[in-house]
Amino acid sequence: MNDINLGLKIKKFRTDQKLSLKELAEKINSTSALLSQIEKGTTNPSINTLRNLSIALNIPLYKFFLEESFKKVHIVKKNERKVIKPSKDSKISYEILSPEPQTHMEFMILNLEPHSSSKGIEIGHTGQEVAFVLKGEVILNIEDESFSLSEGDSIKIEKFVKHNWENRSSEESKLIFAVTL
């Protein structure tokens, strides 16, 4: 197991929320100097300090201990994509385009074989979804409405709206979509 750099994680969480050292130090009833030493790795935070940071940053305590990469670029090679099929004989599949672990957005390809649908897998995300029809034609079903989309069309679906996709044609359809988390 690699060493976990708590200081670097704390700094990332703080800067992601656009907080200064002083602002975060005030929130946890500490000093900027101590927080700076923790972020630089010259001092380790106590459990109480970590708990206070967790509360102040609204981050679950366990996130400080996850092994994550702080690389600037993450690559997913085509032959290394994860593919998800709802069942062994399903006519639909999802290709995960996002690198792991993903924190703010999922990026995928939905493959729909001819005359297939994701009915029975109605989805309502906690975030927004934007989809782009890369190939073919699809029908998006939302409650009592259906929308016909062709190659090159895109659509945005709001949070929690349950929907499913259909391919009524005799050709394969592909959608690229992103879902915020």
Side-chain angles (χ1 to χ4, degrees), residues 102-138:
Q102 189 61 5
T103 55
H104 303 290
M105 178 186 346
E106 276 188 346
F107 192 47
M108 300 179 159
I109 294 177
L110 171 59
N111 300 298
L112 291 157
E113 290 184 24
H115 307 291
S116 65
S117 121
S118 66
K119 280 186 179 173
I121 314 169
E122 289 202 336
I123 299 170
H125 310 285
T126 57
Q128 296 175 330
E129 177 177 338
V130 175
F132 174 80
V133 182
L134 185 64
K135 177 181 175 186
E137 297 177 1
V138 294

Side-chain angles (χ1 to χ4, degrees), residues 86-104:
S87 67
K88 187 175 131 182
D89 54 344
S90 178
K91 292 185 174 189
I92 68 168
S93 65
Y94 296 89
E95 295 178 53
I96 313 293
L97 302 174
S98 305
E100 300 288 338
Q102 189 61 5
T103 55
H104 303 290

